[in-house]
Amino acid sequence: MAWADWMVVNLSLEEQLQLEREARSVLYHDDHNEIAELCAQLIKQTHYQQTLLSQAVSRITELETESFLQESLEVEQDRRMNWWRRILSSK
């Protein structure tokens, strides 16, 4: 999987149709107060979800950076050890 492929949303056809049906039901609903309440709740929920996703992506970035640095350190240590082993084996 490429670096950011996990961030791409792929909805199945069934999910797309369900989403469209739910969206249309709101558009054609007669009770405007109920729709206003729903919109207010969705605004709050969206904000919380955006914050959570931002924090999650930041944490994932930290973990990937730590992993990369650890792997780089291990490669450098192996390189140094191999160099030292060559010197010792040539004696």
Side-chain angles (χ1 to χ4, degrees):
M1 181 180 290
W3 180 80
D5 285 351
W6 61 270
M7 293 179 57
V8 176
V9 175
N10 293 311
L11 298 177
S12 68
L13 179 58
E14 292 81 13
E15 291 172 317
Q16 292 176 32
L17 292 172
Q18 177 67 24
L19 181 60
E20 185 63 28
R21 190 178 77 184
E22 291 173 8
R24 288 182 185 199
S25 71
V26 170
L27 289 174
Y28 300 120
H29 197 285
D30 293 334
D31 188 349
H32 297 292
N33 289 332
E34 188 176 337
I35 298 301
E37 289 177 23
L38 174 64
C39 288
Q41 291 172 357
L42 289 174
I43 289 168
K44 291 177 183 179
Q45 181 181 15
T46 300
H47 181 78
Y48 287 122
Q49 287 177 340
Q50 287 175 337
T51 302
L52 176 64
L53 284 172
S54 177
Q55 291 171 351
V57 170
S58 295
R59 181 65 178 143
I60 290 167
T61 302
E62 288 174 19
L63 293 172
E64 287 184 346
T65 301
E66 288 174 14
S67 175
F68 174 77
L69 292 175
Q70 182 64 32
E71 288 174 10
S72 297
L73 179 62
E74 290 171 2
V75 167
E76 180 62 22
Q77 288 173 344
D78 286 345
R79 188 183 65 77
R80 288 182 183 174
M81 289 299 290
N82 288 337
W83 177 80
W84 185 247
R85 286 184 187 133
R86 283 188 297 219
I87 290 176
L88 291 177
S89 66
S90 65
K91 291 183 176 183

